[in-house]
Amino acid sequence: MRQFRAGLPIPVLILGLTLVACSDPEPTGPEAPPAPAAAVLGDVDLNQPLRALGTEPFWAVEITPQDLAYTAVDAVEVRASNPGPTVQGTTAVYAAAAPDGTTLVVTLIATECSDGMSDRLYPLTARVELGAETLNGCAAPVAFLNSQPAP
């Protein structure tokens, strides 16, 4: 066998260069973060914007991937960062605190709900605890609500 100057046979040298050329390249940067885990309650994807709402008094909580925002007639808006839901069985709970310390806990239950004022049926029942106040209502994806006729 012919020897290369460094003392390795040429076929061994070619084999080594071939293995180096076929190896995986070094990573060039950080890996992409994993996709968020699917959070589903009943048939509702909790990763999409949701709205919980109630009547007498009229109130609503907008749930987006970033925030929970409580609004009501003649009330100051309460906004908190969305920590994501804790899902157990047929219940999902969002528990957060606004910058001023006001607690906002939204519990969604996978049971059909009627708001009592319209013929609309919602896929989820909602309970909202704002500080010491508890409100009961219904909830649905915003896309579902936008596709329905106005109550």
Side-chain angles (χ1 to χ4, degrees):
M1 207 176 258
R2 247 177 94 187
Q3 295 286 322
F4 185 69
R5 286 187 181 177
L8 291 174
I10 289 177
V12 172
L13 182 61
I14 291 172
L15 178 63
L17 290 173
T18 303
L19 290 175
V20 168
C22 292
S23 67
D24 290 333
E26 290 293 318
T28 57
E31 293 183 24
V40 177
L41 184 63
D43 292 331
V44 177
D45 175 3
L46 300 178
N47 292 318
Q48 66 185 316
L50 304 169
R51 181 177 301 137
L53 50 95
T55 59
E56 299 182 31
F58 288 100
W59 59 268
V61 175
E62 297 291 328
I63 302 170
T64 66
Q66 299 79 28
D67 295 317
L68 305 175
Y70 167 84
T71 56
V73 177
D74 298 328
V76 175
E77 179 184 71
V78 176
R79 184 175 295 273
S81 293
N82 183 350
T86 300
V87 180
Q88 291 186 319
T90 60
T91 304
V93 178
Y94 297 82
D100 69 358
T102 302
T103 58
L104 177 58
V105 178
V106 180
T107 302
L108 303 177
I109 304 159
T111 58
E112 199 170 70
C113 180
S114 171
D115 62 17
M117 293 192 73
S118 70
D119 292 331
R120 186 181 281 177
L121 291 177
Y122 300 81
L124 303 172
T125 298
R127 183 178 67 240
V128 173
E129 298 167 58
L130 180 65
E133 184 177 14
T134 300
L135 303 162
N136 294 299
C138 301
V142 171
F144 167 82
L145 294 173
N146 290 340
S147 72
Q148 301 294 304

